[in-house]
Amino acid sequence: TMLPDTANSAQVTVTIRPPLQLSIQPDTIVCKGSSVTLTAQATGGKGTGFYTIEWFILPDTTSVQHTGNTYTVTVNNNQQYQAKLTDGCTALPVWSNSITVNTYNKIQLTPRADTTINKGQSVNLTAQATQGKGSGYTFTWYKLPDSTTALTPNNPQTEQPDSTTTYRVIATDGCAANTDKAHVVITVRQQLEITIANNYS
């Protein structure tokens, strides 16, 4: 006698999740003291709703500075950052690439040299700048002791002082911390005066 076939079979589908991956934006450069938002992009693993992204300031990879896919930082010096991704399932966390957020160097301002002119002559006040952002410089001149009222914004700045005068120039490039200033002294020779005495009686 043959027994009825009572065996059952079942089909099991095993889903292999793609590996976790985490990347953050490339290196960047900002004005010293300004804020920048770092952004991380995660893929793979269990998916978006399960991600935990932690941020670190290198070389310390143990002290979590922030949690989330974005991290807004105020940068005063060149600094490196790295992020770590977990999804509550994958055995090992995944680390992002490390990035460096640099700050611009301070402007190096070189004004024209102090000089001496005769009364009635004009003089060109000029200045050159390097460092900082490297372009887009603005030069503002002041005739001291008035350090609040700027002269007409020209470079060179043409002036005709009546007496010895000190000028201040301030160079900026859009970053407040990059500003540099310098002074130029223009010495003015006064005109000779001759007095003839009448001694006749």
Side-chain angles (χ1 to χ4, degrees):
T1 305
M2 294 189 63
L3 296 173
D5 187 358
T6 57
N8 292 320
S9 64
Q11 192 173 34
V12 177
T13 301
V14 178
T15 301
I16 300 176
R17 296 188 179 99
L20 281 177
Q21 292 185 332
L22 182 65
S23 62
I24 54 179
Q25 65 199 66
D27 294 348
T28 189
I29 185 167
V30 298
C31 297
K32 185 174 290 189
S34 66
S35 295
V36 60
T37 299
L38 309 178
T39 303
Q41 181 64 46
T43 58
K46 289 181 72 174
T48 304
F50 298 92
Y51 295 149
T52 299
I53 299 174
E54 298 173 320
W55 292 86
F56 301 84
I57 299 177
L58 299 180
D60 183 354
T61 56
T62 59
S63 301
V64 177
Q65 301 297 318
H66 181 73
T67 301
N69 66 319
T70 61
Y71 178 23
T72 301
V73 295
T74 299
V75 184
N76 289 304
N77 295 292
N78 298 343
Q79 191 65 65
Q80 283 188 301
Y81 300 89
Q82 193 171 20
K84 182 175 74 171
L85 170 66
T86 56
D87 66 354
C89 178
T90 307
L92 297 175
V94 171
W95 288 86
S96 72
N97 53 302
S98 64
I99 63 165
T100 302
V101 179
N102 293 303
T103 56
Y104 293 105
N105 295 322
K106 185 177 180 179
I107 290 173
Q108 298 298 310
L109 175 62
T110 306
R112 66 153 299 146
D114 295 347
T115 192
T116 300
I117 62 173
N118 295 320
K119 186 172 183 178
Q121 286 184 316
S122 296
V123 63
N124 284 335
L125 303 175
T126 60
Q128 301 290 328
T130 58
Q131 300 294 318
K133 287 185 175 181
S135 63
Y137 302 119
T138 299
F139 301 93
T140 307
W141 291 89
Y142 299 87
K143 184 177 180 179
L144 300 182
D146 185 349
S147 60
T148 59
T149 306
L151 301 174
T152 304
N154 293 316
N155 189 49
Q157 176 75 43
T158 303
E159 287 291 302
Q160 191 179 48
D162 290 328
S163 58
T164 297
T165 303
T166 300
Y167 295 89
R168 173 183 291 160
V169 59
I170 298 177
T172 61
D173 63 358
C175 286
N178 292 358
T179 301
D180 194 15
K181 61 185 177 182
H183 295 85
V184 177
V185 178
I186 305 299
T187 302
V188 179
R189 294 191 196 96
Q190 297 301 310
Q191 294 174 337
L192 291 175
E193 294 183 4
I194 300 175
T195 302
I196 299 176
N198 185 352
N199 293 325
Y200 296 102
S201 55

